[in-house]
Amino acid sequence: MSKNEEAKPSELGFEEIADQLHPADPKVSPDGKTVAFTVTARSRKGEHTERAIWLARDGEPAWRFTGGESDDREASFSPDGQTLAFLSNRKDPKRSAIYLLPLDGGEAQRLGDLEGDLSHPRWAPDGKTLAVIRVDPETDVEKKRKEEKDDPDVFEEDFKFTRLWLVDAKSGKVRCPTWAARNVWNFAWQPYSSGLVYVSTLQNTINSLFTTATLWYVPASGGLARQVAEFSPAPGSPVVREVDGEPVVALIGSALRDDPSPSIWTVPLAGGTPVNRLSGFEGAVQSLIADPRSADGLIVRIVEGTRGRLYTLSAGAGPLTPIELPDLESGGSILDGPSVSCDGEHIAFAWSRSDRPLEIFVKAPGENARTVTSLGKEFASRLTPGEVVSWTSPDGVSVEGILLYPRDHDAAKRYPLLVQVHGGPCWQWEDRANLSWHDWGQMLTSRGYAVLLPNPRGSTGRGSDFERLLVDDVGGGESKDLVSGAQAMVERGIADPDRLAIGGWSWGGYLTAWTITQTDVFKAAIMGAGVANLVSDHAAGDIAEANMAYYSGHPYTHWDRYADRSPVRHAANVSTPTLILHGGADSRVHPTQGMEFHRALQVLGVPVRFVRYPREGHGIAERHHQIDLMKRIVEWLERYV
């Protein structure tokens, strides 16, 4: 052991958690020899994000390929493998442009004059064109009115559409094939570069994604778009494949209350009714790409329970087939990717386990997957292990989650336990390193806490039937799952029944607030960006239509159902000291939600503190804010648990 390793404290510091480097978005080159990915710190020190593109060649350790002083992101290899396209704001921190960088060296060159709020740069299969999504820029009139402070905002009407733009890869000349009053969210090229499919809604609001979305086809050479199919809610990750000689579009979609689990849906490009390709499958599809080894092939990343794995399947008929990764089968989860080479034999992805930080891995033919990064080396030997655990809720529902053991765990001792509830509600905890301002597990286990990460009913990863248990019972069964999970850890002998705490972010913040209105078993609570009033949140938040997956109508016709499951209505039952944390500019869950619960508990004499972080949205990005948040969580638990 080196002197540096000996000097490392057992407790994970707030600063080192905020400063850790995070790899993401792995892309493998067409020949499989090179992998590109982005690296950024977990927190932002300045006003703008600083992100670099890194490369790894032939499975060797990766190195930084771009400077990292600006926001370099969304790398994409040209079909011939000679050039890397990416987005960057290096000339103007408020506007991005497309840059091309030769892989054999040289300076990045800007492609054309297109700039602004850009995303999703993708090469046409023939390498002649790049497609990208851009938000419509401000007009000169709008800029002048803003300068003159004559700029009233008509809510959910004065928005900017995002459109698809095509950029010639040599000349930089651009054209926009999507000109109508439709907002483009994602798209895909046809295999022969002759056209594109894209998903659009009538508004550029997050809320519109939970209404009706339309899949369109537009010729790359220009012309009118043709409607292919409608979905509700909006699907993602379209891929065009060929089944029995006919083009078919595969997407990740769901059907709200009827079939809520994310799955693979397919529809003929000529038009028709979308079909759930994996109906009844107990897993949640997280990503989808084409498998180049066959015209109808797909590669998907699916979360089953607490693990993310890779599978292949056909866009037509046939079973799911797992991609074997024997050296990673003992645990952990694939969290980002995959990306594959032109022959489909080289795969890049990001993988983590409860006690192993996130790293980029490459799988070559005939070899085990190997990591090309060591960005988490400072944490690698300091993380505590996790175990998949299960218990039965009072109504007989089987629930599972991850139990993280405290540092230097002694089976003869009992420990304080935090139940950390995930957001969503349609999301899940996985067997991965919980190591950020948002994921408190390792921060707390390094300080002697046990942490339970439950996946209550409504969580993804166990199929539509499990998700539907949340329908018309928001908070009810979920809360019982959380309390019974804590009690199961007491019965297991690891948790001290007098030192239990609960906390979470977003929906986890809501369930925290709701649960402490139903029980006094928890000695402390942490409500992060949580909903206190389901009625007022329906109007103030930006995803009101998402509630249609759980309720049979809006609160204006179903008032009592929303009000009855609102924590603030039952605040008189609370005795648990509660720390409330919220971003001051949160549009997903408005900060007035935290204010409502704070006021209620303050009036009722319950120990409470409300901390609001200026400029922050639904997530906390700034370094000092992240550090402050983690410090306050630890201090609150130390005080009351």
Side-chain angles (χ1 to χ4, degrees), residues 530-546:
V531 174
N533 186 334
L534 288 165
V535 175
S536 59
D537 172 71
H538 191 79
D542 65 1
I543 54 170
E545 289 298 327

Side-chain angles (χ1 to χ4, degrees), residues 136-383:
D136 285 347
E138 284 186 324
T139 65
D140 291 339
V141 171
E142 290 168 335
K143 290 178 182 178
K144 183 178 179 181
R145 292 185 65 180
K146 185 175 290 185
E147 292 170 357
E148 296 173 348
K149 302 296 188 291
D150 180 20
D151 54 350
D153 179 15
V154 182
F155 184 61
E156 290 191 349
E157 292 185 31
D158 287 348
F159 53 78
K160 293 291 185 181
F161 284 111
T162 61
R163 305 185 191 280
L164 189 62
W165 287 79
L166 303 183
V167 186
D168 186 275
K170 288 187 177 180
S171 68
K173 292 181 179 180
V174 300
R175 53 192 174 86
C176 179
T178 58
W179 48 268
R182 293 193 287 265
N183 194 79
V184 177
W185 293 97
N186 47 64
F187 69 93
W189 285 95
Q190 274 190 285
Y192 302 107
S193 307
S194 57
L196 305 98
V197 294
Y198 62 93
V199 175
S200 76
T201 56
L202 294 178
Q203 288 188 318
N204 181 11
T205 64
I206 299 298
N207 198 45
S208 69
L209 290 172
F210 297 92
T211 59
T212 299
T214 306
L215 177 68
W216 300 84
Y217 168 80
V218 63
S221 59
L224 294 177
R226 171 177 57 81
Q227 181 173 322
V228 178
E230 288 189 341
F231 293 81
S232 182
S237 304
V239 176
V240 182
R241 308 305 288 151
E242 189 174 287
V243 177
D244 298 328
E246 297 296 327
V248 169
V249 185
L251 312 95
I252 300 176
S254 65
L256 288 177
R257 294 163 66 94
D258 295 331
D259 198 355
S261 186
S263 184
I264 302 295
W265 291 67
T266 60
V267 61
L269 184 59
T273 302
V275 175
N276 186 348
R277 177 67 179 74
L278 297 175
S279 180
F281 179 71
E282 294 189 356
V285 178
Q286 303 287 299
S287 63
L288 164 67
I289 62 172
D291 185 347
R293 292 172 295 185
S294 64
D296 63 350
L298 301 168
I299 298 177
V300 294
R301 175 167 56 90
I302 297 177
V303 174
E304 298 171 85
T306 58
R307 295 195 60 199
R309 296 182 172 92
L310 301 181
Y311 289 87
T312 62
L313 78 158
S314 166
L320 278 171
T321 303
I323 294 177
E324 301 295 340
L325 300 168
D327 48 325
L328 300 180
E329 286 301 319
S330 61
S333 191
I334 294 174
L335 301 169
D336 199 353
S339 174
V340 297
S341 56
C342 278
D343 60 8
E345 299 298 328
H346 297 77
I347 308 174
F349 54 87
W351 178 90
S352 175
R353 195 174 65 193
S354 292
D355 58 351
R356 291 196 43 193
L358 185 69
E359 304 286 2
I360 301 297
F361 282 74
V362 177
K363 172 71 170 67
E367 299 179 5
N368 286 331
R370 54 172 150 169
T371 181
V372 296
T373 58
S374 56
L375 299 173
K377 61 184 178 182
E378 298 299 320
F379 300 97
S381 62
R382 302 163 62 200
L383 304 186

Side-chain angles (χ1 to χ4, degrees), residues 6 34 42 104 111 156 241 294 379 385 388 409 456 465 499 527 534 589 606:
E6 290 175 355
T34 306
R42 284 282 192 182
D104 57 2
L111 177 63
E156 290 191 349
R241 308 305 288 151
S294 64
F379 300 97
V388 179
H409 174 239
D465 288 345
R499 302 185 70 191
M527 178 190 181
L534 288 165
V589 178
V606 179

Side-chain angles (χ1 to χ4, degrees), residues 591-605:
T592 53
Q593 293 296 309
M595 293 171 65
E596 286 194 43
F597 207 56
H598 172 262
R599 180 67 73 209
L601 298 191
Q602 184 186 63
V603 168
L604 294 165

